[in-house]
Amino acid sequence: MAFEDGINQTIVTELILLGFGDLQHLDMALFLLFLVIYIFTMVGNILIIALVLLNPNLHTPMYFFLGNLSCLETFYTSTILPKVLATFLTGEKAISIPACIAQFYFFAALVVTECGLLAMMSYDRYTAISKPLHYATLMNMKACLFMASGSWINGFLSMSVMMYLMTRLTFCGPNEIDHFFCDLTPVARISCSETHTFELMGFIFSTIFTLPPFLLTLTSYMFIIIAILRIPSATGRKKAFSTCSSHLLVVTIYYGTLITVYVLPNTQNIRKLNKVFSVFYTILTPLVNPLIYSLRNREVKEALRKSFGKLIHGIRTHTFKALSLE
């Protein structure tokens, strides 16, 4: 029992994720939809990781960062979607407080890491297009390892502070979180302890780790677009704009929803749309990233074609040998 303001309150040991409670009649349809999204997300990202590792032609800075991004997306989507799928399938919405804290920590750490990786990827493309003569020097493997590892370390170390602050929160009812995963504001809203420090640090970290990478990414793409406009060939400009616009669209949607949820004032209207915004950056972005950043690239298509060709050739050879032995 906890005693607060002269009132006995029971300390709860688990929380209830209400999820998409207003769409309960669509649970099975949503389960199938999210299951398909999860499968395609995992297959797409794991395929990119395998291609980057196994094909020497893809051992370049751009694909090194893409491999890191795909690795992140597999962890990112697995932090949230399995619990959502289990809830749809079984109706079990309870989550223990340690599991809730762990989910928030990995989710938040991976968000910060992704912001860093997206900024590094945009800088890599800016350097390749705007400074081609200095590209090999600026983006050598040592620099790439430093930037990628810095993004990962920064994400997990910085969010350790938020995880510690969350462990200091007390929950004594009501214990229902109006969200489909353990996010900062919904968790803070149901805590019966003082949450000012937790929410303030969340706002500060959100601002520091979202806005600067976003501005760096946006600036890089602006310089990329200027460089593309100088390409004399209309066909070359169209092809470059097609790839660049797709990247910029994904980045804009990702950062736009993040900034709306975590940086803008938490008004009543925005709070109602938080679940919708959250679906974009937690579920849809990991799905489309492999398509936008990798699978549309000529080098990746060629590596994919060669890999499947070798696989089919190996299967045929093995089958032929087995039939010959018979």
Side-chain angles (χ1 to χ4, degrees), residues 31-72:
F31 169 76
L32 293 174
L33 174 63
F34 285 156
L35 178 62
V36 170
I37 290 175
Y38 185 52
I39 291 171
F40 274 93
T41 300
M42 296 298 288
V43 170
N45 283 292
I46 291 173
L47 182 60
I48 297 302
I49 296 169
L51 289 175
V52 171
L53 288 175
L54 299 176
N55 288 271
N57 292 337
L58 300 183
H59 292 175
T60 63
M62 181 176 77
Y63 293 108
F64 171 75
F65 286 119
L66 285 173
N68 272 268
L69 182 65
S70 291
C71 182
L72 180 144

mmCIF file of all heavy atoms in Angstrom, residues 31-72:
data_model
loop_
_atom_site.group_PDB
_atom_site.id
_atom_site.type_symbol
_atom_site.label_atom_id
_atom_site.label_comp_id
_atom_site.label_asym_id
_atom_site.label_seq_id
_atom_site.Cartn_x
_atom_site.Cartn_y
_atom_site.Cartn_z
ATOM 1 N N PHE A 31 -5.545 -7.720 -36.722
ATOM 2 C CA PHE A 31 -4.509 -8.724 -36.469
ATOM 3 C C PHE A 31 -3.887 -9.205 -37.779
ATOM 4 O O PHE A 31 -2.658 -9.264 -37.917
ATOM 5 C CB PHE A 31 -5.102 -9.910 -35.709
ATOM 6 C CG PHE A 31 -4.179 -11.092 -35.639
ATOM 7 C CD1 PHE A 31 -3.101 -11.107 -34.765
ATOM 8 C CD2 PHE A 31 -4.371 -12.196 -36.481
ATOM 9 C CE1 PHE A 31 -2.233 -12.201 -34.714
ATOM 10 C CE2 PHE A 31 -3.520 -13.284 -36.435
ATOM 11 C CZ PHE A 31 -2.444 -13.284 -35.554
ATOM 12 N N LEU A 32 -4.728 -9.530 -38.747
ATOM 13 C CA LEU A 32 -4.228 -10.014 -40.043
ATOM 14 C C LEU A 32 -3.442 -8.925 -40.765
ATOM 15 O O LEU A 32 -2.390 -9.194 -41.360
ATOM 16 C CB LEU A 32 -5.395 -10.493 -40.908
ATOM 17 C CG LEU A 32 -6.133 -11.739 -40.402
ATOM 18 C CD1 LEU A 32 -7.354 -12.025 -41.258
ATOM 19 C CD2 LEU A 32 -5.199 -12.938 -40.370
ATOM 20 N N LEU A 33 -3.945 -7.690 -40.715
ATOM 21 C CA LEU A 33 -3.257 -6.569 -41.367
ATOM 22 C C LEU A 33 -1.878 -6.347 -40.760
ATOM 23 O O LEU A 33 -0.870 -6.272 -41.485
ATOM 24 C CB LEU A 33 -4.102 -5.295 -41.236
ATOM 25 C CG LEU A 33 -3.445 -3.996 -41.739
ATOM 26 C CD1 LEU A 33 -3.170 -4.078 -43.240
ATOM 27 C CD2 LEU A 33 -4.328 -2.791 -41.407
ATOM 28 N N PHE A 34 -1.812 -6.268 -39.424
ATOM 29 C CA PHE A 34 -0.534 -6.008 -38.753
ATOM 30 C C PHE A 34 0.410 -7.207 -38.862
ATOM 31 O O PHE A 34 1.626 -7.039 -38.879
ATOM 32 C CB PHE A 34 -0.764 -5.638 -37.291
ATOM 33 C CG PHE A 34 -1.284 -4.228 -37.105
ATOM 34 C CD1 PHE A 34 -2.000 -3.887 -35.970
ATOM 35 C CD2 PHE A 34 -1.045 -3.256 -38.052
ATOM 36 C CE1 PHE A 34 -2.472 -2.595 -35.788
ATOM 37 C CE2 PHE A 34 -1.516 -1.971 -37.884
ATOM 38 C CZ PHE A 34 -2.237 -1.632 -36.756
ATOM 39 N N LEU A 35 -0.158 -8.420 -38.928
ATOM 40 C CA LEU A 35 0.684 -9.610 -39.107
ATOM 41 C C LEU A 35 1.373 -9.570 -40.474
ATOM 42 O O LEU A 35 2.575 -9.848 -40.581
ATOM 43 C CB LEU A 35 -0.158 -10.875 -38.981
ATOM 44 C CG LEU A 35 0.596 -12.200 -39.186
ATOM 45 C CD1 LEU A 35 1.684 -12.373 -38.128
ATOM 46 C CD2 LEU A 35 -0.386 -13.377 -39.155
ATOM 47 N N VAL A 36 0.615 -9.222 -41.505
ATOM 48 C CA VAL A 36 1.195 -9.107 -42.853
ATOM 49 C C VAL A 36 2.261 -8.010 -42.871
ATOM 50 O O VAL A 36 3.345 -8.192 -43.446
ATOM 51 C CB VAL A 36 0.088 -8.808 -43.893
ATOM 52 C CG1 VAL A 36 0.702 -8.444 -45.252
ATOM 53 C CG2 VAL A 36 -0.840 -10.003 -44.037
ATOM 54 N N ILE A 37 1.967 -6.876 -42.249
ATOM 55 C CA ILE A 37 2.938 -5.777 -42.184
ATOM 56 C C ILE A 37 4.202 -6.231 -41.467
ATOM 57 O O ILE A 37 5.326 -5.955 -41.922
ATOM 58 C CB ILE A 37 2.324 -4.551 -41.477
ATOM 59 C CG1 ILE A 37 1.250 -3.909 -42.360
ATOM 60 C CG2 ILE A 37 3.403 -3.528 -41.111
ATOM 61 C CD1 ILE A 37 0.505 -2.773 -41.696
ATOM 62 N N TYR A 38 4.048 -6.945 -40.354
ATOM 63 C CA TYR A 38 5.197 -7.409 -39.580
ATOM 64 C C TYR A 38 6.058 -8.380 -40.388
ATOM 65 O O TYR A 38 7.286 -8.277 -40.416
ATOM 66 C CB TYR A 38 4.711 -8.075 -38.290
ATOM 67 C CG TYR A 38 5.815 -8.501 -37.349
ATOM 68 C CD1 TYR A 38 6.800 -7.603 -36.953
ATOM 69 C CD2 TYR A 38 5.873 -9.802 -36.851
ATOM 70 C CE1 TYR A 38 7.814 -7.988 -36.084
ATOM 71 C CE2 TYR A 38 6.881 -10.194 -35.989
ATOM 72 C CZ TYR A 38 7.845 -9.283 -35.608
ATOM 73 O OH TYR A 38 8.858 -9.653 -34.760
ATOM 74 N N ILE A 39 5.403 -9.317 -41.075
ATOM 75 C CA ILE A 39 6.140 -10.305 -41.874
ATOM 76 C C ILE A 39 6.912 -9.614 -42.994
ATOM 77 O O ILE A 39 8.113 -9.869 -43.194
ATOM 78 C CB ILE A 39 5.185 -11.362 -42.451
ATOM 79 C CG1 ILE A 39 4.621 -12.244 -41.321
ATOM 80 C CG2 ILE A 39 5.887 -12.224 -43.498
ATOM 81 C CD1 ILE A 39 3.508 -13.178 -41.759
ATOM 82 N N PHE A 40 6.245 -8.722 -43.730
ATOM 83 C CA PHE A 40 6.908 -8.029 -44.837
ATOM 84 C C PHE A 40 8.035 -7.119 -44.326
ATOM 85 O O PHE A 40 9.075 -6.990 -44.981
ATOM 86 C CB PHE A 40 5.895 -7.217 -45.638
ATOM 87 C CG PHE A 40 5.202 -8.010 -46.705
ATOM 88 C CD1 PHE A 40 3.989 -8.630 -46.455
ATOM 89 C CD2 PHE A 40 5.766 -8.147 -47.967
ATOM 90 C CE1 PHE A 40 3.350 -9.371 -47.433
ATOM 91 C CE2 PHE A 40 5.145 -8.894 -48.956
ATOM 92 C CZ PHE A 40 3.931 -9.507 -48.687
ATOM 93 N N THR A 41 7.816 -6.485 -43.165
ATOM 94 C CA THR A 41 8.848 -5.626 -42.594
ATOM 95 C C THR A 41 10.085 -6.431 -42.243
ATOM 96 O O THR A 41 11.217 -6.050 -42.576
ATOM 97 C CB THR A 41 8.316 -4.917 -41.331
ATOM 98 O OG1 THR A 41 7.188 -4.113 -41.673
ATOM 99 C CG2 THR A 41 9.385 -4.019 -40.728
ATOM 100 N N MET A 42 9.889 -7.566 -41.572
ATOM 101 C CA MET A 42 11.022 -8.396 -41.168
ATOM 102 C C MET A 42 11.734 -8.988 -42.372
ATOM 103 O O MET A 42 12.968 -8.945 -42.461
ATOM 104 C CB MET A 42 10.538 -9.507 -40.238
ATOM 105 C CG MET A 42 9.957 -9.008 -38.912
ATOM 106 S SD MET A 42 11.161 -8.105 -37.919
ATOM 107 C CE MET A 42 12.218 -9.452 -37.378
ATOM 108 N N VAL A 43 10.962 -9.539 -43.322
ATOM 109 C CA VAL A 43 11.572 -10.148 -44.506
ATOM 110 C C VAL A 43 12.337 -9.114 -45.315
ATOM 111 O O VAL A 43 13.484 -9.350 -45.736
ATOM 112 C CB VAL A 43 10.491 -10.822 -45.381
ATOM 113 C CG1 VAL A 43 11.074 -11.238 -46.730
ATOM 114 C CG2 VAL A 43 9.903 -12.024 -44.668
ATOM 115 N N GLY A 44 11.735 -7.938 -45.528
ATOM 116 C CA GLY A 44 12.387 -6.894 -46.316
ATOM 117 C C GLY A 44 13.674 -6.418 -45.695
ATOM 118 O O GLY A 44 14.708 -6.311 -46.379
ATOM 119 N N ASN A 45 13.650 -6.155 -44.397
ATOM 120 C CA ASN A 45 14.851 -5.640 -43.734
ATOM 121 C C ASN A 45 15.936 -6.700 -43.588
ATOM 122 O O ASN A 45 17.123 -6.405 -43.761
ATOM 123 C CB ASN A 45 14.472 -5.062 -42.361
ATOM 124 C CG ASN A 45 13.823 -3.693 -42.467
ATOM 125 O OD1 ASN A 45 14.459 -2.716 -42.836
ATOM 126 N ND2 ASN A 45 12.540 -3.624 -42.143
ATOM 127 N N ILE A 46 15.541 -7.943 -43.261
ATOM 128 C CA ILE A 46 16.538 -9.021 -43.154
ATOM 129 C C ILE A 46 17.160 -9.303 -44.518
ATOM 130 O O ILE A 46 18.368 -9.587 -44.619
ATOM 131 C CB ILE A 46 15.888 -10.288 -42.564
ATOM 132 C CG1 ILE A 46 15.534 -10.049 -41.084
ATOM 133 C CG2 ILE A 46 16.821 -11.488 -42.687
ATOM 134 C CD1 ILE A 46 14.738 -11.159 -40.442
ATOM 135 N N LEU A 47 16.360 -9.196 -45.568
ATOM 136 C CA LEU A 47 16.883 -9.385 -46.924
ATOM 137 C C LEU A 47 17.940 -8.336 -47.256
ATOM 138 O O LEU A 47 18.998 -8.655 -47.829
ATOM 139 C CB LEU A 47 15.736 -9.312 -47.934
ATOM 140 C CG LEU A 47 16.098 -9.527 -49.406
ATOM 141 C CD1 LEU A 47 16.712 -10.911 -49.613
ATOM 142 C CD2 LEU A 47 14.864 -9.347 -50.279
ATOM 143 N N ILE A 48 17.678 -7.086 -46.892
ATOM 144 C CA ILE A 48 18.654 -6.014 -47.132
ATOM 145 C C ILE A 48 19.943 -6.277 -46.356
ATOM 146 O O ILE A 48 21.051 -6.131 -46.889
ATOM 147 C CB ILE A 48 18.069 -4.640 -46.732
ATOM 148 C CG1 ILE A 48 16.857 -4.304 -47.606
ATOM 149 C CG2 ILE A 48 19.127 -3.543 -46.845
ATOM 150 C CD1 ILE A 48 17.151 -4.283 -49.082
ATOM 151 N N ILE A 49 19.825 -6.691 -45.095
ATOM 152 C CA ILE A 49 21.019 -6.990 -44.280
ATOM 153 C C ILE A 49 21.847 -8.092 -44.934
ATOM 154 O O ILE A 49 23.070 -7.986 -45.055
ATOM 155 C CB ILE A 49 20.602 -7.398 -42.853
ATOM 156 C CG1 ILE A 49 19.914 -6.242 -42.131
ATOM 157 C CG2 ILE A 49 21.821 -7.852 -42.046
ATOM 158 C CD1 ILE A 49 19.248 -6.634 -40.828
ATOM 159 N N ALA A 50 21.173 -9.149 -45.366
ATOM 160 C CA ALA A 50 21.876 -10.282 -45.989
ATOM 161 C C ALA A 50 22.570 -9.854 -47.277
ATOM 162 O O ALA A 50 23.724 -10.225 -47.532
ATOM 163 C CB ALA A 50 20.894 -11.414 -46.257
ATOM 164 N N LEU A 51 21.876 -9.066 -48.105
ATOM 165 C CA LEU A 51 22.461 -8.612 -49.366
ATOM 166 C C LEU A 51 23.693 -7.747 -49.137
ATOM 167 O O LEU A 51 24.705 -7.886 -49.820
ATOM 168 C CB LEU A 51 21.425 -7.841 -50.187
ATOM 169 C CG LEU A 51 20.288 -8.651 -50.815
ATOM 170 C CD1 LEU A 51 19.279 -7.731 -51.477
ATOM 171 C CD2 LEU A 51 20.840 -9.649 -51.832
ATOM 172 N N VAL A 52 23.603 -6.848 -48.164
ATOM 173 C CA VAL A 52 24.736 -5.961 -47.877
ATOM 174 C C VAL A 52 25.926 -6.755 -47.357
ATOM 175 O O VAL A 52 27.080 -6.492 -47.718
ATOM 176 C CB VAL A 52 24.325 -4.869 -46.866
ATOM 177 C CG1 VAL A 52 25.543 -4.071 -46.389
ATOM 178 C CG2 VAL A 52 23.302 -3.920 -47.492
ATOM 179 N N LEU A 53 25.669 -7.766 -46.525
ATOM 180 C CA LEU A 53 26.765 -8.561 -45.962
ATOM 181 C C LEU A 53 27.416 -9.477 -46.989
ATOM 182 O O LEU A 53 28.641 -9.647 -46.991
ATOM 183 C CB LEU A 53 26.238 -9.401 -44.789
ATOM 184 C CG LEU A 53 25.886 -8.655 -43.493
ATOM 185 C CD1 LEU A 53 25.275 -9.613 -42.493
ATOM 186 C CD2 LEU A 53 27.121 -7.984 -42.895
ATOM 187 N N LEU A 54 26.604 -10.039 -47.890
ATOM 188 C CA LEU A 54 27.098 -11.097 -48.774
ATOM 189 C C LEU A 54 27.602 -10.600 -50.123
ATOM 190 O O LEU A 54 28.275 -11.347 -50.828
ATOM 191 C CB LEU A 54 25.999 -12.144 -48.997
ATOM 192 C CG LEU A 54 25.508 -12.877 -47.741
ATOM 193 C CD1 LEU A 54 24.363 -13.816 -48.093
ATOM 194 C CD2 LEU A 54 26.651 -13.649 -47.091
ATOM 195 N N ASN A 55 27.273 -9.368 -50.497
ATOM 196 C CA ASN A 55 27.669 -8.874 -51.806
ATOM 197 C C ASN A 55 28.749 -7.807 -51.689
ATOM 198 O O ASN A 55 28.483 -6.707 -51.176
ATOM 199 C CB ASN A 55 26.455 -8.291 -52.543
ATOM 200 C CG ASN A 55 25.490 -9.353 -53.015
ATOM 201 O OD1 ASN A 55 25.613 -9.887 -54.102
ATOM 202 N ND2 ASN A 55 24.524 -9.674 -52.156
ATOM 203 N N PRO A 56 29.976 -8.105 -52.175
ATOM 204 C CA PRO A 56 31.078 -7.127 -52.104
ATOM 205 C C PRO A 56 30.762 -5.806 -52.799
ATOM 206 O O PRO A 56 31.258 -4.752 -52.381
ATOM 207 C CB PRO A 56 32.231 -7.852 -52.812
ATOM 208 C CG PRO A 56 31.903 -9.303 -52.691
ATOM 209 C CD PRO A 56 30.407 -9.387 -52.757
ATOM 210 N N ASN A 57 29.918 -5.840 -53.854
ATOM 211 C CA ASN A 57 29.566 -4.617 -54.566
ATOM 212 C C ASN A 57 28.788 -3.633 -53.691
ATOM 213 O O ASN A 57 28.714 -2.440 -54.008
ATOM 214 C CB ASN A 57 28.729 -4.942 -55.809
ATOM 215 C CG ASN A 57 29.528 -5.667 -56.869
ATOM 216 O OD1 ASN A 57 30.760 -5.575 -56.905
ATOM 217 N ND2 ASN A 57 28.847 -6.404 -57.731
ATOM 218 N N LEU A 58 28.206 -4.140 -52.616
ATOM 219 C CA LEU A 58 27.412 -3.283 -51.724
ATOM 220 C C LEU A 58 28.199 -2.862 -50.481
ATOM 221 O O LEU A 58 27.618 -2.295 -49.557
ATOM 222 C CB LEU A 58 26.128 -4.002 -51.298
ATOM 223 C CG LEU A 58 25.176 -4.414 -52.424
ATOM 224 C CD1 LEU A 58 23.910 -5.041 -51.842
ATOM 225 C CD2 LEU A 58 24.816 -3.229 -53.310
ATOM 226 N N HIS A 59 29.493 -3.152 -50.472
ATOM 227 C CA HIS A 59 30.323 -2.752 -49.336
ATOM 228 C C HIS A 59 30.807 -1.309 -49.522
ATOM 229 O O HIS A 59 31.992 -1.029 -49.690
ATOM 230 C CB HIS A 59 31.511 -3.711 -49.175
ATOM 231 C CG HIS A 59 31.097 -5.081 -48.750
ATOM 232 N ND1 HIS A 59 31.972 -6.143 -48.633
ATOM 233 C CD2 HIS A 59 29.878 -5.580 -48.406
ATOM 234 C CE1 HIS A 59 31.303 -7.218 -48.246
ATOM 235 N NE2 HIS A 59 30.046 -6.898 -48.108
ATOM 236 N N THR A 60 29.844 -0.394 -49.533
ATOM 237 C CA THR A 60 30.105 1.034 -49.689
ATOM 238 C C THR A 60 29.458 1.776 -48.530
ATOM 239 O O THR A 60 28.586 1.211 -47.841
ATOM 240 C CB THR A 60 29.526 1.551 -51.013
ATOM 241 O OG1 THR A 60 28.091 1.396 -50.987
ATOM 242 C CG2 THR A 60 30.099 0.792 -52.205
ATOM 243 N N PRO A 61 29.833 3.031 -48.273
ATOM 244 C CA PRO A 61 29.242 3.775 -47.146
ATOM 245 C C PRO A 61 27.721 3.836 -47.183
ATOM 246 O O PRO A 61 27.065 3.651 -46.158
ATOM 247 C CB PRO A 61 29.860 5.173 -47.302
ATOM 248 C CG PRO A 61 31.175 4.926 -47.948
ATOM 249 C CD PRO A 61 30.942 3.791 -48.894
ATOM 250 N N MET A 62 27.141 4.071 -48.372
ATOM 251 C CA MET A 62 25.688 4.189 -48.459
ATOM 252 C C MET A 62 24.999 2.913 -47.991
ATOM 253 O O MET A 62 24.062 2.947 -47.179
ATOM 254 C CB MET A 62 25.266 4.507 -49.894
ATOM 255 C CG MET A 62 23.751 4.663 -50.043
ATOM 256 S SD MET A 62 23.231 5.139 -51.694
ATOM 257 C CE MET A 62 23.391 3.590 -52.561
ATOM 258 N N TYR A 63 25.474 1.764 -48.477
ATOM 259 C CA TYR A 63 24.841 0.499 -48.109
ATOM 260 C C TYR A 63 25.236 0.045 -46.710
ATOM 261 O O TYR A 63 24.496 -0.714 -46.073
ATOM 262 C CB TYR A 63 25.163 -0.564 -49.157
ATOM 263 C CG TYR A 63 24.522 -0.240 -50.483
ATOM 264 C CD1 TYR A 63 25.291 0.192 -51.556
ATOM 265 C CD2 TYR A 63 23.145 -0.313 -50.639
ATOM 266 C CE1 TYR A 63 24.694 0.520 -52.765
ATOM 267 C CE2 TYR A 63 22.543 0.017 -51.839
ATOM 268 C CZ TYR A 63 23.326 0.434 -52.894
ATOM 269 O OH TYR A 63 22.725 0.778 -54.083
ATOM 270 N N PHE A 64 26.355 0.528 -46.212
ATOM 271 C CA PHE A 64 26.715 0.271 -44.824
ATOM 272 C C PHE A 64 25.674 0.903 -43.891
ATOM 273 O O PHE A 64 25.191 0.264 -42.944
ATOM 274 C CB PHE A 64 28.105 0.840 -44.525
ATOM 275 C CG PHE A 64 28.481 0.826 -43.065
ATOM 276 C CD1 PHE A 64 28.840 -0.356 -42.428
ATOM 277 C CD2 PHE A 64 28.459 2.000 -42.324
ATOM 278 C CE1 PHE A 64 29.177 -0.362 -41.083
ATOM 279 C CE2 PHE A 64 28.804 2.000 -40.979
ATOM 280 C CZ PHE A 64 29.154 0.821 -40.357
ATOM 281 N N PHE A 65 25.307 2.148 -44.181
ATOM 282 C CA PHE A 65 24.284 2.820 -43.378
ATOM 283 C C PHE A 65 22.908 2.184 -43.589
ATOM 284 O O PHE A 65 22.118 2.066 -42.647
ATOM 285 C CB PHE A 65 24.235 4.312 -43.718
ATOM 286 C CG PHE A 65 25.391 5.096 -43.176
ATOM 287 C CD1 PHE A 65 26.252 5.763 -44.025
ATOM 288 C CD2 PHE A 65 25.630 5.174 -41.813
ATOM 289 C CE1 PHE A 65 27.330 6.489 -43.532
ATOM 290 C CE2 PHE A 65 26.696 5.892 -41.301
ATOM 291 C CZ PHE A 65 27.550 6.548 -42.165
ATOM 292 N N LEU A 66 22.611 1.772 -44.823
ATOM 293 C CA LEU A 66 21.336 1.110 -45.087
ATOM 294 C C LEU A 66 21.223 -0.202 -44.327
ATOM 295 O O LEU A 66 20.157 -0.552 -43.822
ATOM 296 C CB LEU A 66 21.180 0.858 -46.588
ATOM 297 C CG LEU A 66 20.832 2.069 -47.451
ATOM 298 C CD1 LEU A 66 20.878 1.709 -48.921
ATOM 299 C CD2 LEU A 66 19.468 2.630 -47.086
ATOM 300 N N GLY A 67 22.344 -0.936 -44.254
ATOM 301 C CA GLY A 67 22.357 -2.171 -43.473
ATOM 302 C C GLY A 67 22.093 -1.910 -42.003
ATOM 303 O O GLY A 67 21.345 -2.649 -41.348
ATOM 304 N N ASN A 68 22.703 -0.841 -41.471
ATOM 305 C CA ASN A 68 22.458 -0.446 -40.089
ATOM 306 C C ASN A 68 20.995 -0.075 -39.882
ATOM 307 O O ASN A 68 20.385 -0.458 -38.871
ATOM 308 C CB ASN A 68 23.342 0.741 -39.713
ATOM 309 C CG ASN A 68 24.690 0.336 -39.179
ATOM 310 O OD1 ASN A 68 24.891 0.188 -37.977
ATOM 311 N ND2 ASN A 68 25.633 0.115 -40.082
ATOM 312 N N LEU A 69 20.428 0.676 -40.838
ATOM 313 C CA LEU A 69 19.024 1.083 -40.726
ATOM 314 C C LEU A 69 18.101 -0.129 -40.750
ATOM 315 O O LEU A 69 17.158 -0.212 -39.958
ATOM 316 C CB LEU A 69 18.667 2.044 -41.854
ATOM 317 C CG LEU A 69 17.235 2.593 -41.829
ATOM 318 C CD1 LEU A 69 17.012 3.465 -40.602
ATOM 319 C CD2 LEU A 69 16.933 3.391 -43.094
ATOM 320 N N SER A 70 18.365 -1.074 -41.635
ATOM 321 C CA SER A 70 17.527 -2.279 -41.710
ATOM 322 C C SER A 70 17.643 -3.117 -40.442
ATOM 323 O O SER A 70 16.650 -3.675 -39.958
ATOM 324 C CB SER A 70 17.928 -3.117 -42.928
ATOM 325 O OG SER A 70 17.580 -2.464 -44.120
ATOM 326 N N CYS A 71 18.859 -3.196 -39.889
ATOM 327 C CA CYS A 71 19.054 -3.915 -38.625
ATOM 328 C C CYS A 71 18.243 -3.249 -37.522
ATOM 329 O O CYS A 71 17.569 -3.917 -36.728
ATOM 330 C CB CYS A 71 20.540 -3.929 -38.281
ATOM 331 S SG CYS A 71 20.929 -4.843 -36.773
ATOM 332 N N LEU A 72 18.285 -1.920 -37.491
ATOM 333 C CA LEU A 72 17.524 -1.172 -36.485
ATOM 334 C C LEU A 72 16.028 -1.426 -36.642
ATOM 335 O O LEU A 72 15.315 -1.617 -35.656
ATOM 336 C CB LEU A 72 17.839 0.315 -36.618
ATOM 337 C CG LEU A 72 17.124 1.258 -35.634
ATOM 338 C CD1 LEU A 72 18.056 2.399 -35.229
ATOM 339 C CD2 LEU A 72 15.859 1.857 -36.252
#
